[in-house]
Amino acid sequence: MRNSSKILKRAIVAANQTLQSLFDLDTQVAKAADLIEESFRAGNKLLVCGNGGSAADASHFATEFVVRFVFPAMAGYSLLRATIMVSMRFSLAR
């Protein structure tokens, strides 16, 4: 068997194990979903944050709420990036 095939098979096994482990988080995920729903019903927003790759996940997660469900959500790093860009724009304009 070629080395690339072995690498692919190991990656698939690891991904399958990760997905199977999500069953162990059922209670915690349900509780988080309930809290998010309660927050939206109370008229609040969902702010999600992350760093590095987690920031990309946070952005995707928030975007799903906005696009699919039309709920107010924003990824924290996007807010930070916007704040930095606006502050740079005004400081450079002087």
Side-chain angles (χ1 to χ4, degrees):
M1 186 182 310
R2 298 183 132 178
N3 193 37
S4 58
S5 294
K6 289 179 186 178
I7 292 170
L8 176 61
K9 285 186 180 192
R10 280 195 304 261
I12 291 170
V13 167
N16 186 40
Q17 289 171 340
T18 299
L19 290 172
Q20 290 296 319
S21 72
L22 292 176
F23 286 116
D24 297 335
L25 300 174
D26 181 52
T27 303
Q28 293 91 332
V29 170
K31 185 176 179 179
D34 290 344
L35 289 170
I36 291 169
E37 180 185 6
E38 288 174 23
S39 179
F40 285 141
R41 288 188 188 279
N44 297 314
K45 299 177 191 77
L46 176 65
L47 300 177
V48 188
C49 58
N51 186 21
S54 296
D57 291 338
S59 177
H60 183 91
F61 187 70
T63 300
E64 289 293 336
F65 278 102
V66 172
V67 174
R68 281 187 191 231
F69 308 114
V70 194
F71 287 130
M74 177 179 253
Y77 88 99
S78 299
L79 181 59
L80 176 61
R81 185 180 339 169
T83 303
I84 291 169
M85 290 173 65
V86 168
S87 66
M88 288 177 60
R89 166 70 173 93
F90 285 108
S91 66
L92 293 174
R94 293 182 188 179

